[in-house]
Amino acid sequence: MNFPRLMVCLTCIALLVSCADSRHSHRTAKNIDPASRPESTKKVATSLSANPYFIQVSDVHLDSKATTTNYGHDTGTELWTKTIVKLTEIIRQKPAPKFIIYTGDLPAHYDCVTTCFIPPDQRKTHHKNIAQVLTDLRKLAEDTGIPLLFTPGNNDSLAGDYCSYADENNKTPLSLAPDPENAYPALNSMRTCGNAPCIVSNPHPQMGYYSARPIEGLRVITLNSIILGHRYHQVDGVEQVDAGNTQMSWLSTELVAARLSGEKVLIIMHIPPGKNAYAVAHNRTPTQMWAQLPLPNNNWMHQFLTLMKQYQSEITGILYGHTHMDEVRRLYDVDGVNITEVAVSAPGVSPQHNNNPGFKIYWYSYSTKELLDFETYYTTPAALSWGKQSYRFSTIFGCDANSTLYQCLSDASLADVNAAMDTIFTVMHGAPAYKTLSGIEVKAE
């Protein structure tokens, strides 16, 4: 397949935005008087139990050949089984979560140096691990009837780490778990959109991005941020610049459509925008998570931050995986002055980065769809069961009872955000092994 080089028409989008009444925005950027904030963000329910919630799971990295799991290694079968048991326990409680999102990376890591491409005759174990996690997630969703949205990670390509979502034969990892009656990427969702849950847009299934409406009033835009990464290796015949430009153009179209339909938007992805704090701490290059390609109209980061500012009133948050840690990021406008959005990760189930295994539930406002709080459930790799260990974002970050995630993070000082994040960064497995400060603030360069 070959896509034309499509660029985001920021000028056209700006004209559309200028027609929107800014008084209706549910967000207020940092440095604006709190008294001027709209009522919809100042008042949220103080009792989280009165609000709906959803689950985020990420980075299982299953090693189906391993039974037990240790820090610094990927998920063995015992830990994965315990994870499914814990997820099932939460899903079957009342009230049940409204939907589940999986933000990428199904199979175990493997050794690779210059290129992570796996020759076709050496993919058997890699494919087995992918298929097992997809099958187990399918069973979890089908047993409960809850929508489950899949996001591709950098390890998920059939051809290997950081490869294009489709392989040489135009096959994606979802081909390993086929079911025409209840197909990925969004399980328990109608293929054509009427009432939620349903898939809204899936124009290029072999590219890995799409949008879905898991509940009425909320459009979840799923990006394939692997395309935007600096280690991308295409094997599907589509150059990275073409694939990235097409996706960014589609993103802008989706945001326009969400605004016109009066929907709120949750953006999910695997690799987040911003700096790689590990690379910065160890003097490695590149330091940015996304590629800095020589593109007209600046680059993908600049385009993304521009869109986040323009559609701030629609976007309720950004969720990602990849780092395996429990971290937060603050996205600024292209001038680097005001915080427009916040991004939050789910820790990995895999303790390969010496983190404790974890996953999250998020409470959100029924009316505004704003994220109100999250709780991280965690365990240790060798524990007999997940147990009941958990912690709340609002407690760790000292949030006001009536604030949203956005308000709490954007109002706090950088020093306070960093101190709080470092408390939970390794999912309660001690202090970070490197400085994390550089990864918090996401700004155009």
Side-chain angles (χ1 to χ4, degrees):
M1 10 173 221
N2 290 295
F3 298 125
R5 295 174 179 261
L6 298 176
M7 299 304 300
V8 178
C9 181
L10 300 180
T11 302
C12 296
I13 294 171
L15 289 174
L16 176 62
V17 173
S18 67
C19 298
D21 187 347
S22 61
R23 292 173 298 176
H24 294 166
S25 173
H26 69 286
R27 296 293 187 82
T28 303
K30 189 180 179 183
N31 299 328
I32 295 179
D33 182 0
S36 68
R37 291 180 183 141
E39 290 298 312
S40 61
T41 54
K42 287 198 293 184
K43 296 181 180 179
V44 296
T46 56
S47 174
L48 285 176
S49 61
N51 292 281
Y53 70 98
F54 64 89
I55 296 175
Q56 182 187 8
V57 185
S58 196
D59 294 87
V60 168
H61 289 291
L62 178 66
D63 181 357
S64 57
K65 291 185 175 181
T67 303
T68 60
T69 308
N70 297 306
Y71 291 111
H73 296 271
D74 278 326
T75 301
T77 56
E78 288 183 351
L79 174 58
W80 179 225
T81 298
K82 288 181 289 190
T83 304
I84 291 293
V85 169
K86 184 64 176 180
L87 288 167
T88 302
E89 173 191 320
I90 292 174
I91 290 170
R92 292 193 180 281
Q93 68 187 8
K94 301 297 183 181
K98 297 298 183 181
F99 57 95
I100 305 165
I101 61 174
Y102 186 88
T103 44
D105 276 3
L106 304 162
H109 296 89
Y110 58 90
D111 292 333
C112 61
V113 184
T114 55
T115 177
C116 298
F117 175 77
I118 306 173
D121 61 346
Q122 298 176 27
R123 298 174 183 174
K124 182 177 179 179
T125 299
H126 181 67
H127 288 188
K128 179 181 178 181
N129 290 330
I130 292 173
Q132 185 64 59
V133 180
L134 286 175
T135 299
D136 292 342
L137 290 174
R138 177 187 294 285
K139 186 175 188 305
L140 179 72
E142 289 181 339
D143 285 352
T144 57
I146 296 173
L148 187 151
L149 312 183
F150 172 76
T151 318
N154 57 282
N155 288 104
D156 293 334
S157 170
L158 296 178
D161 199 8
Y162 290 99
C163 289
S164 52
Y165 191 58
D167 67 4
E168 311 89 338
N169 300 313
N170 211 26
K171 297 290 186 180
T172 76
L174 304 183
S175 66
L176 299 178
D179 184 347
E181 298 300 319
N182 189 16
Y184 279 108
L187 300 179
N188 300 325
S189 301
M190 298 295 293
R191 300 297 97 186
T192 56
C193 218
N195 296 327
C198 57
I199 292 180
V200 180
S201 173
N202 190 17
H204 307 299
Q206 281 69 35
M207 301 303 290
Y209 53 83
Y210 66 97
S211 67
R213 186 181 299 134
I215 57 173
E216 294 299 338
L218 179 68
R219 183 178 302 217
V220 177
I221 297 178
T222 300
L223 296 180
N224 181 359
S225 57
I226 317 310
I227 294 172
L228 310 176
H230 62 83
R231 295 180 62 185
Y232 188 73
H233 178 66
Q234 67 88 5
V235 294
D236 62 352
V238 182
E239 294 296 329
Q240 182 178 15
V241 171
D242 290 339
N245 289 346
T246 302
Q247 180 173 216
M248 293 301 293
S249 179
W250 171 83
L251 171 61
S252 68
T253 300
E254 283 295 294
L255 291 170
V256 169
R259 171 169 287 176
L260 293 175
S261 63
E263 292 176 299
K264 297 303 182 182
V265 172
L266 180 66
I267 297 177
I268 63 177
M269 66 184 74
H270 184 68
I271 301 177
K275 289 189 175 180
N276 182 336
Y278 181 87
V280 172
H282 291 83
N283 295 314
R284 296 184 179 181
T285 56
T287 59
Q288 290 285 349
M289 291 285 200
W290 288 7
Q292 302 296 298
L293 300 176
L295 301 173
N297 299 325
N298 301 297
N299 55 37
W300 292 323
M301 170 75 86
H302 190 282
Q303 293 174 15
F304 185 76
L305 294 180
T306 298
L307 290 171
M308 296 306 96
K309 171 61 177 176
Q310 291 173 331
Y311 293 92
Q312 188 178 10
S313 59
E314 281 74 35
I315 299 168
T316 63
I318 300 167
L319 304 181
Y320 63 95
H322 189 58
T323 67
H324 291 213
M325 303 301 186
D326 201 341
E327 64 178 37
V328 298
R329 292 175 179 240
R330 307 196 298 192
L331 280 67
Y332 284 75
D333 55 29
V334 292
D335 296 323
V337 176
N338 293 316
I339 299 169
T340 59
E341 297 296 338
V342 296
V344 183
S345 74
V349 172
S350 167
Q352 198 256 0
H353 291 5
N354 290 305
N355 55 291
N356 276 326
F359 63 87
K360 288 183 175 180
I361 67 171
Y362 296 82
W363 289 274
Y364 63 93
S365 166
Y366 178 82
S367 58
T368 68
K369 306 301 186 289
E370 281 288 324
L371 301 180
L372 305 177
D373 205 348
F374 68 70
E375 184 165 9
T376 301
Y377 291 85
Y378 69 98
T379 187
T380 56
L384 296 178
S385 69
W386 267 81
K388 299 183 180 299
Q389 297 179 104
S390 68
Y391 52 84
R392 292 277 181 92
F393 164 81
S394 55
T395 301
I396 299 295
F397 283 78
C399 303
D400 181 88
N402 293 325
S403 70
T404 63
L405 264 69
Y406 171 81
Q407 288 174 313
C408 183
L409 287 172
S410 60
D411 288 347
S413 70
L414 177 57
D416 287 345
V417 171
N418 186 60
M421 189 181 77
D422 280 355
T423 301
I424 62 173
F425 187 69
T426 62
V427 201
M428 296 300 183
H429 188 225
Y434 53 89
K435 292 181 180 179
T436 62
L437 189 65
S438 60
I440 297 174
E441 309 286 69
V442 180
K443 299 182 178 182
E445 290 189 347

